[in-house]
Amino acid sequence: MKLYRRGFDDYRGKREVTTFSVDELIPYFIEFPKDKFCSVFDGLMYCYCLPPKTSFGDINIDQFNKIMQVVFKTPVDIVEHKFVNLKLVTPLQIYIGSKSDCDIQIDHPTVSERHAVINVVSSTEIWLTDLKSRFGTQLNDREVFPDIKTPVRLNDNINFGLVRSYLKTAAWVYSSLATRFGMRLNTDFERIVIRYFSGRIIKRIINDINIGIEKFTIRNALTNQFESFTMNDLKAIFWVKNLIGDPSRVDRQGFIKEADPSNMFLEFKDGECQWGSHTGYSPRSSGFFFYPHDPDSNNIKCYIPRDSLNYVLL
């Protein structure tokens, strides 16, 4: 144990670990071809899925084994997975557990604080060690003995307690997304980015939207499911050309036609300014549509709640 503790400290500055949900991967899947997707997410993709929420309480090993037989036989949709991109800065140690200082934190009652460690020597040499976890680690349905390094290959099934996981490549993730969602991309859809002043950003492709006073509802073009979002703290809903965009770009200032009665200059509460045209604006309206005048802007139009602005000039 002392050896791994020292390794944990030594490698903290070198690790590059980023976690994505399916919703966060979808923009890259939609906008990038497979080779560029794989370039962005080079290295390994550690995929894991939490079992359905259940009140486990203080279960014993016998109860755990009974629950495990049910959980591991239940099919899992890719949308229920989390994906951790592991950049191959070798040698690399990845600590997995429920504690916040682990490289991959998995918050589940059957995952110990410091459950296991994965040592990546190269893309073809990977080792797994269980760190005397309470509910154990399984590799391809076989128990991993504590404190003994066990070789792992790509596509192996690794279970930490009741949490299923796998080591995959970006190519596998892309192909899985294509299998799950590819057919739905043949239909017409719109790209939107939902921004809140809190910093929360949600990216979706949609084929319907209904905007109300207190909330708005979209139909997700990939899942065909309705999703509702609050208007509270909303900055704007942006219809965009590309879901990735260029964060470093600044839209051009000024109007296309100076004398156009639909011209509007606005300033958001966070200080961002926009020049464009409006439809449906009045001082009493709860919101309106705005069309940026910069032809090279990634924004096509946006819906802006009236209370998200400091002021407007018409």
Side-chain angles (χ1 to χ4, degrees), residues 250-268:
V250 178
D251 284 357
R252 191 178 68 186
Q253 300 179 1
F255 299 114
I256 296 175
K257 296 179 181 180
E258 292 294 338
D260 192 325
S262 67
N263 282 353
M264 171 182 282
F265 169 82
L266 58 83
E267 182 182 273
F268 288 99

Side-chain angles (χ1 to χ4, degrees), residues 230-284:
T230 179
M231 300 292 286
N232 184 39
D233 194 48
L234 177 69
K235 178 177 180 178
I237 307 168
F238 297 88
W239 278 254
V240 298
K241 301 171 185 175
N242 186 295
L243 287 170
I244 304 301
D246 180 3
S248 64
R249 188 183 185 280
V250 178
D251 284 357
R252 191 178 68 186
Q253 300 179 1
F255 299 114
I256 296 175
K257 296 179 181 180
E258 292 294 338
D260 192 325
S262 67
N263 282 353
M264 171 182 282
F265 169 82
L266 58 83
E267 182 182 273
F268 288 99
K269 286 183 176 178
D270 61 3
E272 181 184 358
C273 299
Q274 291 280 340
W275 285 259
S277 304
H278 70 89
T279 58
Y281 173 80
S282 79
R284 297 180 180 179

Side-chain angles (χ1 to χ4, degrees), residues 7-249:
F8 181 76
D9 290 334
D10 291 343
Y11 285 98
R12 285 182 68 85
K14 297 181 180 179
R15 64 185 184 175
E16 291 188 55
V17 178
T18 309
T19 303
F20 299 86
S21 66
V22 167
D23 285 337
E24 291 168 326
L25 287 179
I26 284 297
Y28 298 93
F29 168 67
I30 292 172
E31 307 297 358
F32 291 163
K34 185 175 183 178
D35 58 345
K36 189 170 182 179
F37 182 93
C38 293
S39 175
V40 171
F41 299 103
D42 64 336
L44 297 174
M45 293 293 275
Y46 171 78
C47 318
Y48 71 91
C49 175
L50 297 178
K53 292 183 179 180
T54 308
S55 178
F56 289 96
D58 188 20
I59 62 175
N60 57 41
I61 295 300
D62 289 337
Q63 292 169 323
F64 169 80
N65 289 331
K66 291 178 181 178
I67 296 172
M68 180 178 65
Q69 299 303 319
V70 176
V71 169
F72 291 161
K73 290 180 181 179
T74 304
V76 181
D77 193 332
I78 192 171
V79 300
E80 299 175 45
H81 284 75
K82 295 285 188 181
F83 301 86
V84 183
N85 189 208
L86 305 176
K87 301 296 185 182
L88 286 182
V89 183
T90 56
L92 183 66
Q93 287 184 322
I94 303 296
Y95 280 80
I96 299 170
S98 60
K99 202 171 182 181
S100 60
D101 63 353
C102 288
D103 299 289
I104 300 176
Q105 183 185 12
I106 302 177
D107 185 13
H108 193 267
T110 62
V111 176
S112 299
E113 287 189 355
R114 191 69 54 78
H115 196 107
V117 61
I118 295 176
N119 290 272
V120 182
V121 180
S122 68
S123 59
T124 57
E125 185 178 352
I126 305 170
W127 300 88
L128 168 69
T129 306
D130 179 87
L131 301 179
K132 296 181 179 178
S133 61
R134 181 184 179 192
F135 292 106
T137 301
Q138 289 187 337
L139 179 65
N140 297 323
D141 299 325
R142 293 188 176 184
E143 197 72 25
V144 172
F145 293 107
D147 288 336
I148 296 179
K149 293 171 68 174
T150 304
V152 178
R153 297 173 297 178
L154 283 177
N155 305 317
D156 280 350
N157 297 326
I158 308 170
N159 301 326
F160 300 114
L162 293 178
V163 176
R164 286 181 275 190
S165 65
Y166 332 88
L167 279 175
K168 300 289 188 179
T169 62
W172 179 89
V173 174
Y174 186 94
S175 298
S176 298
L177 293 174
T179 301
R180 179 65 171 80
F181 300 117
M183 291 297 293
R184 295 191 179 276
L185 294 180
N186 295 328
T187 60
D188 292 334
F189 59 84
E190 298 176 300
R191 297 166 168 86
I192 65 168
V193 177
I194 305 164
R195 291 183 178 271
Y196 288 90
F197 285 112
S198 64
R200 183 185 180 200
I201 299 174
I202 302 158
K203 300 181 179 183
R204 293 287 190 271
I205 63 169
I206 65 170
N207 47 33
D208 193 17
I209 185 169
N210 181 27
I211 301 174
I213 303 297
E214 297 181 352
K215 69 177 183 178
F216 62 96
T217 302
I218 66 171
R219 184 191 287 271
N220 190 316
L222 288 180
T223 64
N224 204 34
Q225 300 294 314
F226 288 102
E227 296 179 76
S228 293
F229 301 90
T230 179
M231 300 292 286
N232 184 39
D233 194 48
L234 177 69
K235 178 177 180 178
I237 307 168
F238 297 88
W239 278 254
V240 298
K241 301 171 185 175
N242 186 295
L243 287 170
I244 304 301
D246 180 3
S248 64
R249 188 183 185 280

